[in-house]
Amino acid sequence: MPGATPTRILLADDHHLVRRGVRLILDSEPDLTVVAEAGDGAEALEAARTQHPDLAILDIAMPRLTGLQAARELSRTQPELHILMLTMYDNEQYFFEALAAGASGYVLKSVADRDLVEACRATMRGEPFLYPGAVNALIRNYLDRVREGQSPPARAITDREEEILKLVAEGHTSQEIADILVISPKTVERHRANLLQKLGLKDRLELTRYAIRVGLIEP
């Protein structure tokens, strides 16, 4: 978007050549800019405190503090900061630990030139970014939970939000939805804003596509 402020990025990796290569990828994009670099997790925490980046890209294996340890601390002290893990490890344990530490995405160094820019943009839109192996791991984990009789993860949206999503996708105005559900138009707008934020969507059209995808309305 012309005139938009670029996403300010903190890049942490203990290999200078890796940082240089990743920085070249990121700085070549008009909407991304690296404002700080760090060679280990402790330096990353300090840089985050002083530079106030929008996004931290952390290697997992670093001296002093690992990327996972740094992610946990950053999630606690700067909850508004988005976090991506950039790693050589195609490893389910690290992947799940990264999610638990607060990371929004997991990118393999072997395909960073292909995936990293899109991962940054997805993360800043509030969407998770997972490489195919990670998606398979999540599906296996979910199926294992179901087989073991554990409860599936909580639904992303509430029953009321689902009602409003369906009515929005059917083309009703806020006033019409308010009349149908006997609530105020302001409450409808608040629910719609919550839906956009929770689902990482931009507008009514994307809400409608999502409603079709999950079977709430017919295409």
Side-chain angles (χ1 to χ4, degrees):
M1 193 165 122
T5 304
T7 296
R8 292 165 49 81
I9 297 172
L10 160 63
L11 174 60
D13 193 294
D14 58 321
H15 294 98
H16 174 72
L17 286 177
V18 172
R19 291 202 310 274
R20 188 168 72 179
V22 171
R23 183 167 194 153
L24 283 172
I25 294 170
L26 298 173
D27 282 346
S28 67
E29 301 295 326
D31 57 331
L32 305 172
T33 182
V34 176
V35 296
E37 293 186 27
D40 60 49
E43 285 183 12
L45 295 183
E46 181 58 29
R49 273 193 294 270
T50 58
Q51 298 297 320
H52 308 291
D54 306 305
L55 171 65
I57 300 176
L58 308 174
D59 184 22
I60 284 181
M62 292 190 290
R64 294 210 285 170
L65 285 178
T66 68
L68 293 171
Q69 290 171 317
R72 280 191 284 270
E73 180 66 12
L74 289 171
S75 295
R76 186 181 67 80
T77 58
Q78 299 186 42
E80 74 287 351
L81 176 64
H82 299 274
I83 299 172
L84 274 178
M85 305 309 295
L86 178 63
T87 178
M88 61 185 287
Y89 299 113
D90 184 354
N91 178 296
E92 288 183 20
Q93 180 184 343
Y94 283 136
F95 164 63
F96 284 113
E97 285 185 28
L99 294 186
S104 302
Y106 194 93
V107 180
L108 296 180
K109 288 182 181 179
S110 57
V111 289
D113 57 335
R114 184 191 73 199
D115 287 352
L116 185 57
V117 168
E118 179 50 38
C120 291
R121 290 172 179 156
T123 298
M124 294 309 297
R125 291 194 301 266
E127 301 169 9
F129 184 91
L130 308 175
Y131 70 100
V135 174
N136 293 338
L138 276 177
I139 293 170
R140 278 197 304 277
N141 180 263
Y142 177 86
L143 293 176
D144 287 345
R145 287 166 62 94
V146 171
R147 272 195 296 271
E148 291 166 9
Q150 298 180 39
S151 300
R155 290 169 61 210
I157 62 176
T158 65
D159 290 342
R160 176 61 94 190
E161 287 168 345
E162 186 175 271
E163 286 181 307
I164 287 171
L165 171 60
K166 186 174 193 306
L167 292 168
V168 167
E170 288 173 349
H172 294 283
T173 65
S174 292
Q175 185 61 60
E176 288 169 345
I177 295 171
D179 293 342
I180 292 168
L181 299 178
V182 197
I183 55 178
S184 72
K186 188 176 286 187
T187 300
V188 174
E189 289 299 325
R190 190 173 72 248
H191 280 304
R192 184 155 71 170
N194 286 342
L195 279 166
L196 291 170
Q197 193 270 328
K198 280 185 177 182
L199 300 173
L201 304 176
K202 293 197 298 287
D203 52 31
R204 185 189 196 111
L205 178 59
E206 290 195 352
L207 281 175
T208 302
R209 287 174 178 155
Y210 177 86
I212 292 169
R213 199 162 65 241
V214 299
L216 282 178
I217 64 170
E218 293 288 329

